[in-house]
Amino acid sequence: QVQLVESGGGSVQAGGSLRLTCNATGTIFNTISMGWYRQTPGDQRELVASYSSGGIKKYGDPVKGRFTITRDNIKNTAYLQMNSLKVEDTAAYYCNIELIDGIRRTYWGQGTQVTVSS
């Protein structure tokens, strides 16, 4: 079993920055990727950023050039540095990890709220 705990969310004014942290614990091996998604009420969860174990980073179009994902593979931790935040970045942010444990599995954190005010 794998548990993900996010931290670092909060309220900030537009133009500000926040850094989210996701720590994965449990039996973790054969990790495919770690990533961040976000969701607002009534909308589908969308990709913010992902970081594969092969070193490939992907970003959602709305955050390109403003957000940066990094990973510490020894600590099984992923970070999301969010700069130049906009009101439309307001959402619940979820961390996920994809790994192979006999079969491909995806685990999600409980989410952390980010609120950006004008």
Side-chain angles (χ1 to χ4, degrees):
Q1 190 71 6
V2 175
Q3 293 82 38
L4 300 174
V5 177
E6 301 109 331
S7 61
S11 298
V12 65
Q13 287 193 322
S17 298
L18 285 173
R19 187 191 194 212
L20 304 184
T21 299
C22 172
N23 180 239
T25 59
T27 303
I28 300 169
F29 53 89
N30 293 332
T31 300
I32 298 171
S33 68
M34 291 186 75
W36 292 93
Y37 288 72
R38 68 187 184 186
Q39 188 172 22
T40 52
D43 290 333
Q44 289 188 331
R45 197 168 290 188
E46 65 173 4
L47 172 71
V48 176
S50 67
Y51 195 158
S52 76
S53 294
I56 298 173
K57 298 182 183 182
K58 294 182 180 179
Y59 294 94
D61 287 341
V63 308
K64 285 180 180 177
R66 300 187 296 121
F67 291 11
T68 302
I69 186 170
T70 56
R71 274 176 65 178
D72 184 327
N73 292 326
I74 295 175
K75 296 181 179 179
N76 289 314
T77 300
Y79 305 94
L80 184 68
Q81 179 66 43
M82 305 185 292
N83 297 329
S84 302
L85 282 161
K86 303 177 180 179
V87 172
E88 50 264 42
D89 293 319
T90 296
Y93 284 70
Y94 297 89
C95 174
N96 89 339
I97 185 170
E98 291 186 79
L99 50 81
I100 296 177
D101 176 16
I103 62 173
R104 187 168 181 153
R105 299 181 190 272
T106 300
Y107 295 92
W108 292 91
Q110 81 287 351
T112 185
Q113 180 67 33
V114 171
T115 302
V116 184
S117 59
S118 59

